[in-house]
Coordinates of all heavy atoms in Angstrom, one line a residue:
G305 N -126.1 -125.8 177.0 CA -126.8 -124.5 176.7 C -125.7 -123.4 176.4 O -124.8 -123.3 177.2
A306 N -125.9 -122.7 175.3 CA -124.8 -121.7 174.9 C -125.2 -120.3 175.3 O -124.4 -119.4 175.2 CB -124.6 -121.8 173.4
Q307 N -126.5 -120.1 175.7 CA -126.9 -118.7 176.0 C -127.3 -118.5 177.5 O -126.5 -118.8 178.3 CB -128.0 -118.3 175.0 CG -127.5 -118.3 173.5 CD -128.5 -118.7 172.5 OE1 -129.3 -119.6 172.8 NE2 -128.6 -118.0 171.4
W308 N -128.5 -118.1 177.7 CA -129.0 -117.9 179.1 C -130.0 -119.0 179.5 O -130.9 -118.7 180.2 CB -129.6 -116.5 179.3 CG -128.6 -115.4 179.4 CD1 -127.9 -115.1 180.5 CD2 -128.1 -114.5 178.4 NE1 -127.0 -114.0 180.2 CE2 -127.1 -113.7 178.9 CE3 -128.4 -114.4 177.0 CZ2 -126.5 -112.7 178.2 CZ3 -127.8 -113.4 176.3 CH2 -126.9 -112.5 176.9
G309 N -129.8 -120.2 179.0 CA -130.8 -121.2 179.3 C -132.0 -121.2 178.4 O -132.1 -120.3 177.6
E311 N -132.6 -122.9 175.8 CA -132.3 -122.9 174.4 C -133.0 -124.0 173.6 O -133.0 -124.1 172.4 CB -130.8 -123.1 174.2 CG -129.9 -122.0 174.8 CD -129.5 -122.3 176.2 OE1 -130.1 -123.2 176.8 OE2 -128.6 -121.6 176.7
Q520 N -129.4 -125.1 182.4 CA -129.1 -123.7 182.3 C -128.2 -123.4 181.1 O -128.3 -124.2 180.1 CB -128.3 -123.2 183.6 CG -129.2 -123.1 184.8 CD -129.5 -124.5 185.5 OE1 -128.5 -125.2 185.8 NE2 -130.7 -124.8 185.8
G521 N -127.4 -122.4 181.1 CA -126.6 -122.0 179.9 C -125.3 -121.4 180.3 O -125.1 -121.0 181.5
T522 N -124.4 -121.3 179.4 CA -123.1 -120.8 179.7 C -123.1 -119.4 180.3 O -122.2 -119.1 181.1 CB -122.2 -120.9 178.4 OG1 -122.2 -122.2 177.9 CG2 -120.8 -120.4 178.6
M523 N -124.0 -118.6 179.8 CA -124.0 -117.2 180.4 C -124.6 -117.1 181.8 O -124.6 -116.1 182.4 CB -124.7 -116.2 179.5 CG -124.0 -116.1 178.1 SD -122.2 -115.8 178.2 CE -122.2 -114.1 178.5
L524 N -125.0 -118.3 182.3 CA -125.5 -118.4 183.7 C -124.4 -119.1 184.5 O -124.7 -119.4 185.7 CB -126.8 -119.1 183.8 CG -128.0 -118.3 183.2 CD1 -129.3 -119.3 183.2 CD2 -128.3 -117.1 184.0
V561 N -126.2 -125.8 172.4 CA -127.5 -125.6 171.9 C -127.7 -124.1 171.8 O -127.5 -123.4 172.8 CB -128.6 -126.2 172.8 CG1 -130.0 -126.0 172.1 CG2 -128.4 -127.7 173.0
F562 N -128.0 -123.6 170.6 CA -128.2 -122.2 170.3 C -129.7 -122.0 170.0 O -130.2 -122.6 169.1 CB -127.4 -121.7 169.1 CG -126.0 -121.9 169.1 CD1 -125.2 -121.7 167.9 CD2 -125.3 -122.1 170.3 CE1 -123.9 -121.9 167.9 CE2 -123.9 -122.3 170.3 CZ -123.2 -122.2 169.1
K563 N -130.3 -121.1 170.6 CA -131.7 -120.6 170.1 C -131.4 -119.6 169.0 O -130.5 -118.9 169.1 CB -132.4 -120.0 171.3 CG -133.9 -119.9 171.2 CD -134.5 -119.1 172.4 CE -134.8 -120.1 173.5 NZ -135.7 -119.4 174.5
A564 N -132.3 -119.6 168.0 CA -132.1 -118.8 166.9 C -132.2 -117.3 167.2 O -132.0 -116.4 166.3 CB -133.1 -119.1 165.8
Y565 N -132.6 -116.9 168.4 CA -132.6 -115.5 168.9 C -132.1 -115.7 170.3 O -131.7 -116.7 170.8 CB -134.0 -114.9 168.7 CG -135.1 -115.8 169.2 CD1 -135.6 -115.6 170.5 CD2 -135.6 -116.8 168.5 CE1 -136.5 -116.5 171.0 CE2 -136.6 -117.6 168.9 CZ -137.1 -117.5 170.2 OH -138.0 -118.3 170.7
A566 N -132.2 -114.6 171.1 CA -131.8 -114.7 172.5 C -132.9 -114.5 173.5 O -133.8 -113.7 173.2 CB -130.7 -113.6 172.8
T567 N -132.9 -115.2 174.6 CA -133.8 -114.9 175.7 C -133.1 -115.0 177.0 O -132.0 -115.6 177.1 CB -135.0 -116.0 175.7 OG1 -134.5 -117.3 176.0 CG2 -135.8 -115.9 174.5
F606 N -130.2 -112.6 168.1 CA -129.1 -113.5 168.3 C -127.8 -112.8 168.6 O -127.4 -111.9 167.8 CB -128.9 -114.4 167.1 CG -128.0 -115.6 167.3 CD1 -128.5 -116.8 167.6 CD2 -126.6 -115.4 167.1 CE1 -127.6 -117.9 167.8 CE2 -125.8 -116.5 167.2 CZ -126.3 -117.7 167.6
D607 N -127.1 -113.2 169.6 CA -125.9 -112.5 170.0 C -124.7 -113.4 169.7 O -124.4 -114.3 170.5 CB -126.0 -112.1 171.5 CG -124.8 -111.2 172.0 OD1 -123.8 -111.2 171.3 OD2 -124.9 -110.5 173.0
V610 N -121.8 -113.7 172.3 CA -122.1 -114.6 173.4 C -121.9 -116.1 172.9 O -121.2 -116.9 173.6 CB -123.6 -114.5 173.9 CG1 -124.1 -115.7 174.6 CG2 -123.6 -113.3 174.8
T611 N -122.4 -116.4 171.7 CA -122.3 -117.8 171.3 C -120.8 -118.2 170.9 O -120.4 -119.3 171.1 CB -123.2 -118.2 170.2 OG1 -123.1 -117.2 169.2 CG2 -124.7 -118.2 170.7
S614 N -119.2 -118.8 174.1 CA -119.6 -120.1 174.7 C -118.9 -121.3 173.9 O -118.5 -122.2 174.5 CB -121.1 -120.3 174.4 OG -121.8 -119.5 175.3

Side-chain angles (χ1 to χ4, degrees):
Q307 295 148 319
W308 282 279
E311 296 92 348
Q520 288 80 51
T522 301
M523 297 313 281
L524 292 172
V561 185
F562 302 165
K563 196 183 271 193
Y565 48 94
T567 62
F606 189 94
D607 187 338
V610 158
T611 49
S614 287

